Amino acid sequence: MNSYFFIPVTKLHKIDSLNTKSIDHIIIDLEDSVKASERDELVQNLYFHRSAKNHYLRVPIVSSKNKLDLSLIESFVVKGFTKFVLPKLNSKKQLDDFLSHLNFNTLDLILLIESPRLYLELQASIMSYVNCFKALSLGSHDFISILGSTYNESNIFYLRQMVLIMARSLQIEAIDVASMDLRSNDEFKNELKVGFEMGFDGKYIIHPNQLETLLDYKFYTKEDYDKALAIINEVELKGGKEEFDPFVFKGQVVEQPHINAALKVLKFYK
């Protein structure tokens, strides 16, 4: 799974050291981690940071009065920033207004779904957003807070699954939720396992310890690799992916979905 590592803009000085680690994507957070009184100075620092444009920015685009406010993100676009995580949108109308105001075809956007209303409206209209986003993800903690539910795996599983399905409908990445519990490494490992088995492509990371766990985690075993390699070798002997008929491999019928799964294992090991 790809890592999407959140770093508060107040810790911008640590980005250069993070770049030496095996992080796939860095997200500089200007939303939850920033006091309003400090934002202007921090934004100015970000404008002139030498590598900030290579990373995603999570920028507030909805005001405390639930009104769309694009002034900050527009200022970053003018400065040449192109990669953004979009938080706190409450409805399809707000999303459509955002997309109509900015030339989104030049931007790399991750949509963070945190509102029950937006979640439901997207399910009915998801195919109208082809080529709009790089990835979809669930802002599970805000979402569950709005519902008034207890935060646990069973209460977010279906929500995660539906966001994954919407992402696959658009043929884009699905990023799994952030884990706020830093006390239990076993709990985080379980979250990685469940997310990977569900089919998520990436994982939000909020702490270096989580990153180390992700990097060390064995998503596939040696046995998984050997089986995948044997299946693909058998497919090649039968004329390749486009020519084979379903066959039996160690008691299991192998069809196109099994070949795709085997190729995914081999790609991971490469």
Side-chain angles (χ1 to χ4, degrees), residues 25-118:
H25 304 281
I26 291 174
I27 302 171
I28 303 171
D29 189 12
L30 288 92
E31 191 201 19
D32 293 340
S33 65
V34 180
K35 297 178 182 177
S37 59
E38 299 174 347
R39 182 168 289 150
D40 288 346
E41 180 180 352
L42 293 169
V43 166
Q44 289 298 319
N45 293 339
L46 196 51
Y47 285 158
F48 299 104
H49 190 276
R50 63 181 180 177
S51 67
K53 291 178 184 177
N54 298 327
H55 307 305
Y56 286 95
L57 305 182
R58 181 165 74 163
V59 180
I61 54 176
V62 176
S63 72
S64 58
K65 297 181 179 180
N66 195 26
K67 301 292 184 182
L68 203 61
D69 181 357
L70 304 183
S71 57
L72 185 55
I73 194 170
E74 285 177 337
S75 73
F76 281 113
V77 171
V78 168
K79 294 290 186 180
F81 289 79
T82 60
K83 304 172 74 172
F84 300 97
V85 177
L86 308 179
K88 299 297 192 294
L89 288 163
N90 288 294
S91 65
K92 181 180 184 299
K93 183 180 186 307
Q94 282 190 342
L95 175 58
D96 290 344
D97 287 347
F98 170 86
L99 294 174
S100 67
H101 277 83
L102 292 178
N103 183 10
F104 64 86
N105 291 319
T106 65
L107 303 178
D108 186 341
L109 302 174
I110 297 172
L111 179 60
L112 192 57
I113 302 170
E114 301 177 281
S115 155
R117 176 177 172 178
L118 178 61

Side-chain angles (χ1 to χ4, degrees), residues 45-229:
N45 293 339
L46 196 51
Y47 285 158
F48 299 104
H49 190 276
R50 63 181 180 177
S51 67
K53 291 178 184 177
N54 298 327
H55 307 305
Y56 286 95
L57 305 182
R58 181 165 74 163
V59 180
I61 54 176
V62 176
S63 72
S64 58
K65 297 181 179 180
N66 195 26
K67 301 292 184 182
L68 203 61
D69 181 357
L70 304 183
S71 57
L72 185 55
I73 194 170
E74 285 177 337
S75 73
F76 281 113
V77 171
V78 168
K79 294 290 186 180
F81 289 79
T82 60
K83 304 172 74 172
F84 300 97
V85 177
L86 308 179
K88 299 297 192 294
L89 288 163
N90 288 294
S91 65
K92 181 180 184 299
K93 183 180 186 307
Q94 282 190 342
L95 175 58
D96 290 344
D97 287 347
F98 170 86
L99 294 174
S100 67
H101 277 83
L102 292 178
N103 183 10
F104 64 86
N105 291 319
T106 65
L107 303 178
D108 186 341
L109 302 174
I110 297 172
L111 179 60
L112 192 57
I113 302 170
E114 301 177 281
S115 155
R117 176 177 172 178
L118 178 61
Y119 170 84
L120 290 175
E121 290 176 341
L122 281 177
Q123 289 186 52
S125 59
I126 192 64
M127 296 314 297
S128 62
Y129 297 101
V130 173
N131 298 324
C132 292
F133 308 112
K134 174 205 167 57
L136 299 182
S137 57
L138 175 69
S140 56
H141 295 273
D142 281 270
F143 200 109
I144 289 296
S145 176
I146 293 170
L147 292 182
S149 305
T150 300
Y151 192 94
N152 56 45
E153 183 179 320
S154 62
N155 281 346
I156 66 170
F157 183 87
Y158 177 76
L159 300 171
R160 292 160 75 191
Q161 193 170 53
M162 290 308 300
V163 169
L164 174 63
I165 290 170
M166 286 191 281
R168 288 294 177 266
S169 298
L170 297 177
Q171 298 183 345
I172 60 175
E173 287 187 37
I175 306 171
D176 202 10
V177 298
S179 175
M180 301 299 175
D181 187 354
L182 303 178
R183 299 168 298 176
S184 174
N185 196 42
D186 288 340
E187 187 71 24
F188 183 69
K189 285 181 179 179
N190 181 66
E191 203 170 276
L192 285 178
K193 178 179 183 293
V194 172
F196 182 75
E197 291 177 351
M198 289 177 72
F200 281 95
D201 308 288
K203 178 71 172 173
Y204 286 130
I205 302 294
I206 64 168
H207 193 275
N209 290 346
Q210 292 181 342
L211 178 64
E212 295 302 320
T213 300
L214 173 62
L215 294 175
D216 291 340
Y217 192 81
K218 305 300 182 185
F219 291 102
Y220 294 113
T221 65
K222 178 66 164 53
E223 289 74 19
D224 293 330
Y225 173 79
D226 290 341
K227 179 181 177 181
L229 185 61

Side-chain angles (χ1 to χ4, degrees), residues 15-31:
I15 281 188
D16 290 335
S17 62
L18 286 175
N19 281 332
T20 65
K21 299 181 181 292
S22 299
I23 298 174
D24 297 297
H25 304 281
I26 291 174
I27 302 171
I28 303 171
D29 189 12
L30 288 92
E31 191 201 19

